[in-house]
Amino acid sequence: MTRGQDDPRQRLISTAADLLRRRGLSSTSIRELSKCAKAPLGSTYHYFPGGKPQLIGEAVTHTGQHIGKLLAQALAAGPVAGIEAFLANWRSILIESEFKAGCPVIAVAADDSSGEGEGLPLAAAAAALQDWERLIAQSLTGTGMAEADASATATLIIAAVEGAILLCRAAQSITPFDKVSRLLILQLRQHAGR
Amino acid sequence: MTRGQDDPRQRLISTAADLLRRRGLSSTSIRELSKCAKAPLGSTYHYFPGGKPQLIGEAVTHTGQHIGKLLAQALAAGPVAGIEAFLANWRSILIESEFKAGCPVIAVAADDSSGEGEGLPLAAAAAALQDWERLIAQSLTGTGMAEADASATATLIIAAVEGAILLCRAAQSITPFDKVSRLLILQLRQHAGR
DNA sequence: GTCTATACGAAGATAGAC
DNA sequence: GTCTATCTTCGTATAGAC
């Protein structure tokens, strides 16, 4: 059950996350995805019998857990340090992709297209966002902030960061992200100390 | 050149904006759009010879100007009142659509899919966002806030609101939006007075 | 000017050879 | 278990009848 980075299944998940970032949900096709991951189309359906919803869902969950892990580690040094690391991570993704890559989780949230049932990818996105919120809120309460304020602040941070990422995609510039980052950190220092 | 609300062209634009909100860019097809607007497919291409990019671009621009107008009117009573109206507008869209509708502008920003050229819809989205930011920033400087701070605050507000809309779509709940709204208004009152 | 019928490609998904 | 060929549906876009 150990899974190296050459595992085709893992490669498909990573590729899915990458295409999700750049193209969005509906524009990411299983065909192109398979080609990019150097896997034949049949293999993709072999590993993911649930088809596109399953593969996308797992990609979103994987990304959510990856970011969550980074966040948890960085938050160990306090909320401000944690958020700064969170911001730095997204910033480098934007810069390195020349503002073409966003966040796979938010790509699913924006694109949706799932009518009512089959909301597997959307549910995965909601879980990831809630996980991040919980981590940040816990860190804030640790510095003495009231729970309701901590929860709201955590939600604001995530909303602002994800929104800023989209603004950067539209403007093809890092400026919106940097403006938002500066204010968030400033406010965080005032309220959470440290 | 006067154009009633029964103008098929105008109806196509409104329908495009609505589908964009609910389904996202790539999932919105000209076929379905035409059907919803009760216009034959050929008519759609008659009115929009530029095809999907032109129609989507005009829908985004139209929405941007509509929201911009509302924003400008509401901001006349001061920045806090203006932002409150901005928030109330998005909130009712979320509620009435049961969290299925978002913002057409952000749908385009998230979905993109346009490689390099043909960025017409994306350019329209960027213009709308920049317009809103300018309106809010101007209102803030009117209360004595420094220009750099006003600009950054305006960007934060737009990023947070758009991000919160996506969080609501993911969570199928208004809670994220209300959390973010409360904090934004709170901070705004502190910094901008009134 | 309005609309129907159609061309052509690409999507998700599967069957079945190896 | 891996991969090719194919089914069906839907996408954008257009031709040409009324």
Side-chain angles (χ1 to χ4, degrees), chain B residues 105-168:
Chain B
V105 176
I106 226 60
V108 167
D111 204 317
D112 190 20
S113 99
S114 73
E116 183 75 13
E118 189 248 306
L120 211 145
L122 196 62
L129 293 168
Q130 200 175 347
D131 186 40
W132 301 346
E133 201 238 65
R134 186 180 48 77
L135 289 171
I136 296 175
Q138 278 181 355
S139 174
L140 288 170
T141 51
T143 68
M145 190 182 284
E147 273 203 30
D149 287 337
S151 168
T153 303
T155 302
L156 173 64
I157 289 169
I158 292 169
V161 169
E162 298 288 3
I165 290 171
L166 296 179
L167 264 50
C168 290

Side-chain angles (χ1 to χ4, degrees), chain B residues 72-110:
Chain B
Q73 287 172 358
L75 285 169
V80 175
I83 301 303
E84 276 172 344
F86 188 62
L87 290 167
N89 181 55
W90 289 120
R91 190 176 196 276
S92 68
I93 288 174
L94 282 168
I95 297 282
E96 283 164 22
S97 70
E98 292 177 316
F99 322 112
K100 284 177 181 51
C103 167
V105 176
I106 226 60
V108 167

Side-chain angles (χ1 to χ4, degrees), chain A residues 48-160:
Chain A
F48 302 90
K52 185 170 179 176
Q54 185 190 355
L55 175 46
I56 298 295
E58 292 202 27
V60 168
T61 299
H62 179 261
T63 304
Q65 287 174 349
H66 176 69
I67 304 278
K69 206 176 292 180
L70 288 180
L71 195 50
Q73 286 172 359
L75 285 169
V80 175
I83 301 303
E84 276 172 344
F86 188 63
L87 290 168
N89 181 55
W90 289 121
R91 190 178 198 276
S92 68
I93 287 174
L94 281 168
I95 296 281
E96 282 164 21
S97 71
E98 292 177 317
F99 321 112
K100 285 177 181 52
C103 167
V105 176
I106 226 61
V108 168
D111 204 316
D112 190 22
S113 100
S114 75
E116 183 76 11
E118 188 250 305
L120 212 146
L122 196 61
L129 293 168
Q130 200 176 346
D131 186 41
W132 301 347
E133 201 239 67
R134 187 181 46 79
L135 288 171
I136 295 175
Q138 277 181 355
S139 175
L140 288 170
T141 52
T143 67
M145 189 181 286
E147 273 202 30
D149 287 338
S151 169
T153 303
T155 302
L156 172 65
I157 289 169
I158 292 169

